[in-house]
Amino acid sequence: MLARVPKFFRNFYFLITLAFLVWMFFFDANDFITQFQTSRKLSALEEERDYYLEKIAEVQKDRKELLSNPELLEKFAREKYLMKKPTEDLYIIVEKDEK
């Protein structure tokens, strides 16, 4: 049975190298599968970081505009927080969802 296996596959160095590669790809703490999953997670976190950096820049731009323009600040306060002047009446119209 052993004679049917080619001599190259019976070589000591080939067997040790094969065992080392199997160990590194499947059993080691830093195996191939773990490295791949970590790489995917890193990519996802970098995309999320880029998204939040864009949102931060957008909010800072809006904040700068609001603080520099009193009319825009008043409009924002009226629409977002339903603020009004003391002499005004506020009417809120709620539309019903038709199902």
Side-chain angles (χ1 to χ4, degrees):
M1 174 84 176
L2 195 59
R4 293 177 58 184
V5 177
K7 189 173 184 177
F8 179 74
F9 293 119
R10 289 184 282 163
N11 187 341
F12 172 76
Y13 296 108
F14 176 78
L15 293 175
I16 294 298
T17 303
L18 183 64
F20 175 75
L21 290 175
V22 167
W23 179 265
M24 291 306 290
F25 276 114
F26 299 109
F27 300 116
D28 192 46
N30 297 316
D31 62 346
F32 180 72
I33 297 168
T34 305
Q35 290 293 327
F36 181 72
Q37 290 172 345
T38 305
S39 175
R40 282 193 6 210
K41 186 175 179 181
L42 177 65
S43 297
L45 289 173
E46 285 176 346
E47 288 177 12
E48 189 175 334
R49 181 198 64 198
D50 293 340
Y51 170 77
Y52 284 119
L53 287 175
E54 284 180 18
K55 285 297 182 185
I56 288 171
E58 183 180 320
V59 167
Q60 286 175 343
K61 182 181 136 275
D62 291 344
R63 181 177 181 266
K64 186 176 180 181
E65 285 180 14
L66 281 175
L67 294 178
S68 66
N69 189 349
E71 291 87 22
L72 191 60
L73 182 61
E74 181 181 345
K75 179 183 176 202
F76 178 77
R78 286 174 176 266
E79 290 176 359
K80 179 89 172 168
Y81 297 109
L82 304 175
M83 293 184 169
K84 65 180 184 73
K85 293 181 181 177
T87 59
E88 294 178 335
D89 291 329
L90 183 64
Y91 297 100
I92 301 173
I93 301 171
V94 178
E95 296 180 11
K96 291 184 179 180
D97 292 334
E98 294 183 27
K99 292 183 181 178

